Amino acid sequence: MSVITVGQAVVLGAVEGVTEFLPVSSTGHLKIAEGLMGIPVDDRAVVGFSAVVQVGAIAAVLVYFSRDIVRIASAWGRGLRHREERDRHDYRFAWWVVWATVPVVAVGLAAKPFIEGPLASLWVVAGSLVAGSGVMWAADRAGRHTRGEDAASFKDAMLVGASQILALLFPGFSRSGATMSTALVLGLDRVAATRLSFFLGIPALTGAGVYELKDALGTGVGAAPLAAGTVVSFVVAYAAIAWLLKFVAKHSFSAFVVYRVVVGVLLFGLLGAGVLHG
């Protein structure tokens, strides 16, 4: 019998789709939703399910940015064959995405027992939500917002990619929040920071979903809940991506900061009152 029902999977898929690319922590919200529904947040199958439904959100990115991805992949392929093509920005950017993924993959594999064990606590989620809010608030105000996407460098990509480690180790910090905040500190504007966060998340999140698939299927989550959660995640994430890009073009990240603090404090209260168990 699956530890997650189809109905629960639909709810979790919707939560994942809404929160994966917003800087509010999809992992944190998934753990909160799981806790409220009585699903054990540290169960290996549940952790695996969370990683797999992320693939639905990643698929939404692949579809939404398909033209950009095809252009970059084509430039990468041409560069591998022809030396004269290797000075093009798209060719270099493709390699930047590859290299920027290495740090988070290395830490993820090395720290897997901690990530799936003590770091999967709702207390960690609550603290990371609040702490990450402070980082985002400071980054949004300290950033110059003067550099567009074409001005991004290899150094920018590596620093932004490495910042994903914060969200990996501290669920609730938010992968999007960490990458966007780092990009803002480096002087990128909000739209460029958001798009860079999307592109750098594709290989890491896709790899995590594929890696965890065996645990999700083999230790208590059925194929039907996995399929339902992934499809819902895709549909909702696609809408969330379109909304976020329009939002950051005209607004600061202040609304996300306030929301994260409210959720973090509320989660502390629920844990302290015994309504949820971390």
Side-chain angles (χ1 to χ4, degrees):
M1 183 176 180
S2 175
V3 297
I4 297 176
T5 67
V6 172
Q8 290 171 331
V10 168
V11 173
L12 294 175
V15 171
E16 163 64 24
V18 170
T19 60
E20 179 59 56
F21 300 109
L22 272 60
V24 296
S25 176
S26 62
T27 301
H29 280 74
L30 280 173
K31 289 185 181 299
I32 293 171
E34 290 162 0
L36 290 173
M37 290 189 289
I39 299 171
V41 299
D42 57 351
D43 187 288
R44 284 186 62 198
V46 176
V47 173
F49 172 86
S50 299
V52 172
V53 295
Q54 286 179 336
V55 175
I58 292 299
V61 172
L62 294 174
V63 173
Y64 193 91
F65 293 108
S66 58
R67 291 184 179 180
D68 296 292
I69 293 170
V70 169
R71 188 190 73 245
I72 293 168
S74 298
W76 185 68
R78 290 194 302 271
L80 292 176
R81 298 191 304 271
H82 307 291
R83 184 179 296 274
E84 63 272 16
E85 296 286 335
R86 296 175 186 175
D87 288 331
R88 295 186 180 276
H89 177 77
D90 285 340
Y91 171 79
R92 289 183 281 116
F93 184 77
W95 276 115
W96 296 352
V97 172
V98 172
W99 287 114
T101 304
V102 172
V104 69
V105 171
V107 172
L109 292 174
K112 192 172 187 288
F114 298 99
I115 295 169
E116 295 182 352
L119 293 178
S121 165
L122 286 176
W123 287 101
V124 174
V125 171
S128 299
L129 276 167
V130 176
S133 299
V135 172
M136 187 182 301
W137 178 84
D140 200 21
R141 278 151 184 76
R144 300 188 304 275
H145 311 288
T146 56
R147 300 170 60 207
E149 188 176 347
D150 291 339
S153 66
F154 175 67
K155 176 185 175 182
D156 296 329
M158 289 301 296
L159 291 173
V160 173
S163 70
Q164 296 177 105
I165 294 171
L166 288 171
L168 186 67
L169 297 178
F170 305 106
F173 200 95
S174 169
R175 189 202 64 81
S176 295
T179 52
M180 291 177 190
S181 296
T182 302
L184 290 174
V185 170
L186 293 170
L188 294 175
D189 63 45
R190 294 187 182 96
V191 173
T194 302
R195 283 174 58 88
L196 185 59
S197 174
F198 286 148
F199 287 119
L200 290 178
I202 291 173
L205 294 176
T206 302
V210 172
Y211 182 81
E212 295 287 356
L213 181 59
K214 63 182 186 303
D215 287 341
L217 288 174
T219 56
V221 177
L226 274 175
T230 303
V231 170
V232 171
S233 174
F234 170 84
V235 174
V236 176
Y238 190 93
I241 292 167
W243 176 83
L244 180 61
L245 287 170
K246 293 179 180 178
F247 181 85
V248 298
K250 298 180 180 180
H251 302 86
S252 71
F253 288 108
S254 297
F256 297 118
V257 171
V258 173
Y259 173 79
R260 288 170 57 102
V261 171
V262 170
V263 173
V265 171
L266 177 61
L267 181 54
F268 272 127
L270 291 173
L271 289 168
V275 177
L276 290 177
H277 302 283

